[in-house]
Amino acid sequence: MDDSGCSRSVAVRVERRRVRVWFGEHVVADYRAEAELAERYAEAMSRRFAGLRVTSEPLPEHDPGPERRLPGERLWEVAPK
């Protein structure tokens, strides 16, 4: 709250990164998280898969990423039995 009694919200921008593990030109792992978690993941993947390339890139501010929900419509005509 400020002196006038009004509360002010402050937008905090959290940097998010995308970490990918590559086998040649194929992505075998794709992870998106806040910068600190992404860095830990990249280090762990580099140790585990020492021969593979691991990249870490900043994500755009409005990236829907893998967290986006599946569409709400019905995907099949017949329900599984």
Side-chain angles (χ1 to χ4, degrees), residues 42-64:
E43 290 171 359
M45 291 297 104
S46 293
R47 285 191 305 270
R48 177 155 183 156
F49 301 106
L52 302 183
R53 180 170 53 112
V54 177
T55 60
S56 178
E57 307 158 342
L59 283 172
E61 195 170 317
H62 298 290
D63 179 61

Side-chain angles (χ1 to χ4, degrees), residues 1-10:
M1 244 184 238
D2 62 10
D3 293 336
S4 65
C6 296
S7 63
R8 298 178 190 255
S9 61
V10 177

Side-chain angles (χ1 to χ4, degrees), residues 16-28:
R16 293 181 50 82
R17 298 190 67 82
R18 179 180 191 181
V19 177
R20 291 186 279 186
V21 180
W22 299 82
F23 182 75
E25 62 184 43
H26 305 283
V27 175
V28 295

